[in-house]
Amino acid sequence: MKEEIVQHAPDCLFCRIVAGKIPSRIVYQDEELFVFHDIHPWAPVHFLMIPKVHIPSMAHVGVEHAGLLGRMMALAPRLALQEGCNPYPGGGFRILSNTGAEGGQEVHHLHIHVMGGPRPWLKG
Ligand code: AMP
Ligand code: ZN
């Protein structure tokens, strides 16, 4: 069953980062999105894109979030290049969203990993 979606969850690490209570290396933010560097990068470029609103995972996404998710995906290529990913097709980037325990999700606030830069990478 889906949990109720709250604006901000006090015990959520990424809500605390959005609120500035935990420091982060910010890449971009606007009214609804927050983007920051992953603290343990797998690749030369590795940042996380999150909605400011607390959505626990991709499993909680419905059609009402299509605009939000679309804006995240549409922003990713521009930020990937800005942060040092090489241009397609020789360069490029990887986008992934771990969802739930079996999907390898550790932080339960929806996030999209964007990774890129020259190989080899630590993982992925
Ligand atoms: P996931 O397994 O998809 O839930 O990944 C959570 C990601 O959050 C991992 O790649 C962590 O390195 C990253 N992470 C955890 N704490 C922080 C933090 N304080 N600042 C930035 N990234 C973090
Ligand atoms: Zn949260």
Side-chain angles (χ1 to χ4, degrees), residues 41-115:
W42 302 359
V45 178
H46 186 173
F47 57 85
L48 303 173
M49 308 186 71
I50 68 173
K52 286 187 170 177
V53 64
H54 180 82
I55 301 172
S57 78
M58 282 295 291
H60 296 75
V61 166
V63 285
E64 67 276 23
H65 302 111
L68 176 70
L69 268 289
R71 285 187 284 280
M72 287 172 81
M73 296 303 272
L75 184 60
R78 174 163 84 70
L79 295 184
L81 286 178
Q82 176 189 301
E83 294 307 310
C85 292
N86 293 311
Y88 176 94
F93 50 86
R94 171 173 292 178
I95 287 176
L96 70 91
S97 184
N98 299 323
T99 305
E102 292 179 347
Q105 185 177 6
E106 288 174 4
V107 178
H108 290 266
H109 179 129
L110 191 158
H111 53 281
I112 292 174
H113 295 257
V114 181
M115 288 163 281

